[in-house]
Amino acid sequence: MMENVHLAPETDEDDLYSGFNDYNPAFDTEELENDTGFQQAVRTSHGRRPPVTAKIPSTAVSRPIATGYGSKTSLTSSMGRPMTGTIQDGVARPMTAVRAAGFSKAALRGSAFDPLGQSRGPAPPLEAKNEDSPEEKIRQLEKKVNELVEESCIANSCGDLKLALEKAKDAGRKERVLVRQREQITSPENINLDLTYSVLFNLASQYSANEMYAEALNTYQVIVKNKMFSNAGRLKVNMGNIYLKQRNYSKAIKFYRMALDQIPSVHKEMRIKIMQNIGITFIKTGQYSDAINSFEHIMSMAPSLKAGFNLILSCFAIGDREKMKKAFQKLIAVPLEIDEDDKYISPSDDPHTNLLIEAIKNDHLRQMERERKAMAEKYIMTAAKLIAPVIEASFAVGYNWCVEVVKASQYVELANDLEINKAITYLRQKDFNQAVDTLKMFEKKDSRVKSAAATNLSFLYYLENEFAQASSYADLAVNSDRYNPSALTNKGNTVFANGDYEKAAEFYKEALRNDSSCTEALYNIGLTYKKLNRLDEALDSFLKLHAILRNSAQVLCQIANVYELMEDPNQAIEWLMQLISVVPTDSQALSKLGELYDSEGDKSQAFQYYYESYRYFPSNIEVIEWLGAYYIDTQFCEKAIQYFERASLIQPTQVKWQLMVASCFRRSGNYQKALATYKEIHRKFPENVECLRFLVRLCTDIGLKEVQEYATKLKRLEKMKEMREQRIKSGRDSSGGSRSKREGSAGSDASYVDPLGPQIERPKTAAKKRIDEDDFADEELGDDLLPE
């Protein structure tokens, strides 16, 4: 190893430049062509020299190399073995360093150059995995469990809770098989705890989603009690949530507190959420003082809108005015952490800046900011409306305090809305003068607030039928904000009330152009088209409104009414069926269905809906009359009696209902009951001619002595009636006035019109003749007297 190390001889100490011409002979390449050993090695070995590794030091050239003085030096490797190609004892060591590059001895014999070895054919196939090995089976089973857990989560996110639970159960079964197989092969320490944890946690979550709370709690207990799972204590929050759903509030609070104890203080956000759950649970149990402590702690650590609002509710529940005020001030002070609107206003005419502002003006972040601001305003307005009537002696003073606090905060624009809510509160208390005075204060404010106040004033005056004042304030609202759909709708209402339907329709159209979702304008324009008899346009308006308000009973009723006006009863019936599916107890809708089926000739369906209408509202005279007539038409006079008796209770001064009751008794063969009823009618209405006729007839048939008395009264009343009619006729002839038909009443001698038979005038002679006849005219049923 020291052969190539040159030491300066002692005799050359004075020669400072000695040795510069001496160098390692391995770097001498000028004489390689004349070096017989090197050329022999190149010709015979073709570079099959083994690669240099860390364990086998590089070989050195063991050949005579020409020096600067022409001398030859034989080199050997550092390990003492001869260099590749060196001839020792007449044998040259083969050269192997270049065989991997494709050089071989065959190249000298004319073979093709193939450095990539393509002539040897394709590479042998890879060794196949042994799928029967236990390790491979475990890997495949573990992969299948993971896939089942993922499929369960995906099914849950798609709303298929049943499938998600089935997948979770299947994953649990396969995971237990996996654990048993792994225990048989390896030690228990090699069990995949993360997989077990994920399977159990997913199973518990799916149980909870399917409202199988007992199974979910048992699964969570398995996880929590296993000390091998790290951070499993956090799942006690989920257990507390389940107990909260079960309304087991004491256990819910217990588990929330256990989870709170196991979560370190560095996880501040998680601890705050658990504290909020504890506060909400205290509210549900009525422990408002404890809830206040929880929410006050949250507001001191991490103020939020929900916590502040819940704090106000808790203080309101215990009636503590001072705490309500402090809580409201804390709610106002919660930072929104959103950008100002000025950010979205372009400060210059730079097109690139304007393009950027347009891009971010309505992006997802901006929408989130709007939603957060709207939620904050909703909480503040609701809290102010809740506490304003109770924090001071009067609600007006309380509203004034809330307004002052809001004005001093970042929500200055809400102060005007609170003032308008103050006016609305006056309205609820029916103090219209104070409401009007409060709203009139906005006449000198900015246009938006002025328009809102004027709109409310117009609405108030419209309700009081002061259409001139309503129109005046509607004009003020429209002039302040031409794009206010409510103001335009109110203006249209005032014009509609004056009968100018064309102009009203124009205002409603303009309101819809400004806000196509203004349901009030769309409904009113449909009513306007009905007034103008433009039924197709009215129907289009109501159908559009139905697309917006799917279950509005008013809209469904209007659509059915329009189809009825268009003489399409089938469509009217279809829409009324939808109406009673929304309001199944609406007696008017049911009676209208009965009327339509009756007009179509379907008496059975008509009876069904009329009867349902009578069940929900047994005081509708038209329904009662129809049902009574139906039973008489079907020869069930006994059942008709109860309906006519109810009608006589509703209208006790109308003799016709009591006469119908007596007629039903007579038709059913109960003459004694009929006679008693006629006598009672004669006692109440002694001048009723029809009652006396039936009394004479019944007494004659039964053979009672009172027949002569009733016959005398009947003759006297008929004679008086004839004389009265002659006087009226002579008076009309002398004056030349027009004749008018007199209608009979309970206290007059006008002829009774039996509603069960055709409406006829019975002269005196005809009446005498009918007394001796077996059948009466009132027993002849006529369709023209049935309810339409």
Side-chain angles (χ1 to χ4, degrees):
M1 184 178 294
M2 298 297 293
E3 292 177 358
N4 297 324
V5 178
H6 302 277
L7 298 177
E10 295 180 357
T11 56
D12 297 332
E13 290 181 358
D14 296 333
D15 188 2
L16 298 178
Y17 301 99
S18 61
F20 282 95
N21 292 327
D22 298 333
Y23 60 95
N24 193 332
F27 298 110
D28 185 7
T29 58
E30 295 179 357
E31 299 294 332
L32 288 179
E33 295 181 357
N34 301 323
D35 190 336
T36 306
F38 178 78
Q39 294 297 330
Q40 181 65 24
V42 170
R43 284 195 300 269
T44 58
S45 66
H46 286 279
R48 300 197 179 192
R49 181 181 179 183
V52 178
T53 62
K55 293 183 179 180
I56 302 175
S58 302
T59 56
V61 179
S62 178
R63 60 179 177 79
I65 299 178
T67 64
Y69 300 98
S71 64
K72 302 288 184 179
T73 307
S74 177
L75 298 178
T76 60
S77 69
S78 59
M79 297 297 294
R81 62 186 177 87
M83 185 187 105
T84 301
T86 304
I87 300 175
Q88 289 184 347
D89 300 331
V91 179
R93 182 175 177 232
M95 187 172 183
T96 60
V98 294
R99 175 172 292 182
F103 296 100
S104 64
K105 200 170 186 180
L108 299 177
R109 295 192 296 269
S111 62
F113 178 73
D114 187 15
L116 300 179
Q118 295 178 359
S119 61
R120 294 196 298 268
L126 297 175
E127 183 179 356
K129 292 183 179 180
N130 187 5
E131 296 183 357
D132 295 333
S133 65
E135 292 82 1
E136 184 62 25
K137 288 182 178 179
I138 288 175
R139 280 195 296 270
Q140 293 297 327
L141 189 56
E142 186 172 328
K143 181 180 179 182
K144 181 62 177 177
V145 171
N146 281 316
E147 290 176 354
L148 286 172
V149 172
E150 291 178 2
E151 291 173 2
S152 174
C153 296
I154 293 172
N156 181 281
S157 63
C158 295
D160 194 347
L161 302 181
K162 186 175 180 180
L163 177 62
L165 180 59
E166 291 299 326
K167 294 287 186 182
K169 288 181 178 179
D170 195 11
R173 289 190 292 267
K174 284 184 168 52
E175 193 274 334
R176 287 191 292 272
V177 173
L178 174 64
V179 170
R180 286 195 295 269
Q181 291 184 2
R182 195 181 288 274
E183 287 177 349
Q184 294 174 0
I185 296 175
T186 60
S187 60
E189 291 78 9
N190 294 328
I191 295 176
N192 191 346
L193 291 177
D194 292 337
L195 182 61
T196 305
Y197 180 88
S198 63
V199 168
L200 291 174
F201 178 59
N202 179 61
L203 180 60
S205 300
Q206 302 308 332
Y207 276 135
S208 178
N210 284 271
E211 298 183 358
M212 301 171 66
Y213 297 130
E215 292 84 351
L217 289 172
N218 293 335
T219 309
Y220 279 127
Q221 285 286 3
V222 172
I223 302 175
V224 170
K225 289 182 178 180
N226 194 334
K227 302 299 182 183
M228 300 179 68
F229 295 139
S230 59
N231 299 323
R234 296 186 181 186
L235 297 183
K236 292 182 179 178
V237 177
N238 293 14
M239 300 175 71
N241 291 339
I242 292 176
Y243 283 121
L244 185 64
K245 292 177 182 178
Q246 293 179 329
R247 299 187 178 182
N248 191 345
Y249 300 125
S250 58
K251 280 195 172 182
I253 293 173
K254 174 184 175 182
F255 275 88
Y256 284 143
R257 285 178 168 169
M258 291 170 63
L260 195 64
D261 293 337
Q262 296 186 12
I263 294 178
S265 57
V266 294
H267 298 143
K268 180 180 176 182
E269 187 175 354
M270 175 66 79
R271 292 178 63 86
I272 290 296
K273 289 182 179 180
I274 297 175
M275 286 292 295
Q276 187 159 347
N277 285 7
I278 293 174
I280 293 173
T281 311
F282 277 133
I283 289 178
K284 290 184 176 292
T285 58
Q287 298 174 315
Y288 299 112
S289 299
D290 295 330
I292 289 172
N293 294 333
S294 298
F295 291 126
E296 283 181 343
H297 176 73
I298 295 173
M299 294 300 289
S300 62
M301 298 296 294
S304 66
L305 295 170
K306 290 184 178 179
F309 185 71
N310 289 334
L311 178 60
I312 292 175
L313 293 180
S314 303
C315 296
F316 177 81
I318 64 174
D320 193 329
R321 295 183 176 181
E322 293 302 321
K323 283 190 175 182
M324 277 189 274
K325 290 183 177 181
K326 292 180 180 178
F328 186 75
Q329 291 173 337
K330 289 180 180 179
L331 178 63
I332 289 286
V334 173
L336 280 181
E337 299 178 354
I338 61 175
D339 294 328
E340 298 294 334
D341 292 337
D342 296 341
K343 173 184 176 181
Y344 301 99
I345 299 176
S346 177
S348 63
D349 295 334
D350 184 11
H352 296 287
T353 305
N354 294 338
L355 187 62
L356 175 61
I357 291 175
E358 286 296 326
I360 67 174
K361 187 177 290 185
N362 200 33
D363 61 355
H364 293 295
L365 180 60
R366 179 59 175 162
Q367 292 175 6
M368 186 190 71
E369 290 177 347
R370 288 201 194 100
E371 291 174 0
R372 183 175 178 82
K373 186 176 181 181
M375 183 179 66
E377 292 177 352
K378 178 183 177 182
Y379 282 140
I380 292 170
M381 291 294 295
T382 306
K385 288 188 286 186
L386 179 68
I387 68 173
V390 297
I391 58 176
E392 298 292 347
S394 66
F395 87 92
V397 180
Y399 260 106
N400 292 336
W401 181 87
C402 292
V403 169
E404 293 301 324
V405 172
V406 170
K407 284 183 178 178
S409 69
Q410 55 184 327
Y411 305 99
V412 182
E413 64 275 5
L414 292 182
N416 293 325
D417 295 335
L418 279 175
E419 289 283 1
I420 293 179
N421 276 303
K422 179 182 175 182
I424 295 174
T425 307
Y426 276 125
L427 284 178
R428 291 197 180 102
Q429 297 180 352
K430 300 188 182 304
D431 192 348
F432 294 101
N433 294 329
Q434 286 289 344
V436 170
D437 293 340
T438 304
L439 291 173
K440 284 183 177 179
M441 292 190 303
F442 291 96
E443 293 183 5
K444 297 181 180 179
K445 297 282 182 77
D446 60 87
S447 59
R448 185 186 68 85
V449 180
K450 185 194 297 184
S451 178
T455 301
N456 290 340
L457 283 170
S458 174
F459 173 70
L460 286 177
Y461 284 120
Y462 184 85
L463 292 180
E464 294 181 348
N465 293 329
E466 297 183 15
F467 299 126
Q469 287 280 15
S471 179
S472 174
Y473 279 103
D475 289 334
L476 178 60
V478 171
N479 293 333
S480 300
D481 185 3
R482 188 71 190 183
Y483 299 99
N484 185 352
S486 299
L488 292 166
T489 302
N490 280 355
K491 180 59 180 176
N493 292 345
T494 58
V495 177
F496 185 95
N498 293 326
D500 192 350
Y501 303 123
E502 291 287 354
K503 191 172 182 181
E506 292 299 323
F507 280 109
Y508 295 141
K509 287 179 183 178
E510 186 174 356
L512 290 172
R513 283 195 294 269
N514 293 335
D515 183 7
S516 59
S517 62
C518 183
T519 55
E520 294 84 0
L522 194 56
Y523 183 83
N524 290 352
I525 200 171
L527 296 179
T528 306
Y529 286 141
K530 276 180 62 179
K531 287 287 187 181
L532 295 171
N533 202 29
R534 292 154 62 177
L535 298 180
D536 291 332
E537 296 177 68
L539 183 61
D540 289 341
S541 299
F542 288 127
L543 289 175
K544 289 178 183 177
L545 189 58
H546 175 66
I548 301 173
L549 306 175
R550 302 295 300 181
N551 295 321
S552 174
Q554 289 181 324
V555 177
L556 293 171
C557 182
Q558 290 295 337
I559 294 174
N561 181 248
V562 171
Y563 275 120
E564 184 182 5
L565 294 175
M566 296 171 71
E567 299 180 355
D568 190 350
N570 293 326
Q571 283 291 335
I573 289 172
E574 181 179 342
W575 284 96
L576 283 173
M577 294 294 290
Q578 293 188 38
L579 174 60
I580 62 173
S581 68
V582 176
V583 280
T585 60
D586 191 326
S587 62
Q588 291 294 331
L590 291 168
S591 64
K592 176 58 71 174
L593 266 174
E595 179 183 338
L596 289 173
Y597 276 116
D598 187 29
S599 65
E600 291 293 299
D602 193 344
K603 296 288 184 183
S604 60
Q605 284 287 347
F607 169 75
Q608 176 185 346
Y609 288 109
Y610 270 124
Y611 182 74
E612 288 294 315
S613 175
Y614 173 78
R615 278 201 319 119
Y616 291 117
F617 185 61
S619 300
N620 190 328
I621 292 294
E622 295 179 356
V623 174
I624 291 172
E625 185 176 4
W626 192 94
L627 288 171
Y630 173 80
Y631 278 119
I632 292 176
D633 191 21
T634 54
Q635 304 300 320
F636 291 101
C637 298
E638 299 87 351
K639 292 186 177 181
I641 292 173
Q642 61 173 326
Y643 296 104
F644 294 135
E645 285 179 344
R646 178 171 290 276
S648 66
L649 292 175
I650 297 171
Q651 295 180 345
T653 60
Q654 295 290 330
V655 68
K656 65 179 182 179
W657 306 122
Q658 300 179 43
L659 287 171
M660 286 179 178
V661 173
S663 178
C664 289
F665 281 126
R666 183 166 52 83
R667 290 168 184 272
S668 60
N670 193 347
Y671 296 109
Q672 294 295 334
K673 192 71 174 176
L675 180 61
T677 306
Y678 280 126
K679 286 182 178 181
E680 182 66 23
I681 296 171
H682 179 64
R683 188 183 64 80
K684 294 179 179 179
F685 307 99
E687 296 184 356
N688 189 274
V689 176
E690 291 298 325
C691 180
L692 284 171
R693 288 176 181 169
F694 289 119
L695 278 172
V696 171
R697 174 61 180 172
L698 285 174
C699 290
T700 301
D701 292 341
I702 297 174
L704 297 178
K705 297 180 180 180
E706 294 98 332
V707 63
Q708 190 62 37
E709 176 187 353
Y710 293 129
T712 304
K713 290 181 179 180
L714 178 60
K715 290 178 180 180
R716 185 172 65 250
L717 285 175
E718 289 178 342
K719 186 175 181 180
M720 290 173 61
K721 177 184 177 183
E722 185 178 358
M723 293 172 61
R724 187 179 295 113
E725 289 178 352
Q726 288 178 358
R727 285 197 301 268
I728 293 173
K729 183 177 180 181
S730 62
R732 289 175 179 172
D733 292 340
S734 60
S735 61
S738 61
R739 298 180 59 185
S740 61
K741 187 177 179 180
R742 299 184 60 191
E743 295 181 357
S745 63
S748 68
D749 60 353
S751 62
Y752 162 62
V753 181
D754 192 343
L756 302 180
Q759 183 172 345
I760 58 174
E761 284 287 340
R762 291 178 180 147
K764 181 178 179 181
T765 56
K768 287 184 178 179
K769 182 180 180 181
R770 291 172 188 275
I771 291 174
D772 298 330
E773 292 177 353
D774 294 333
D775 296 325
F776 293 88
D778 69 315
E779 294 177 357
E780 300 174 5
L781 296 178
D783 293 338
D784 56 337
L785 292 181
L786 296 177
E788 294 181 359

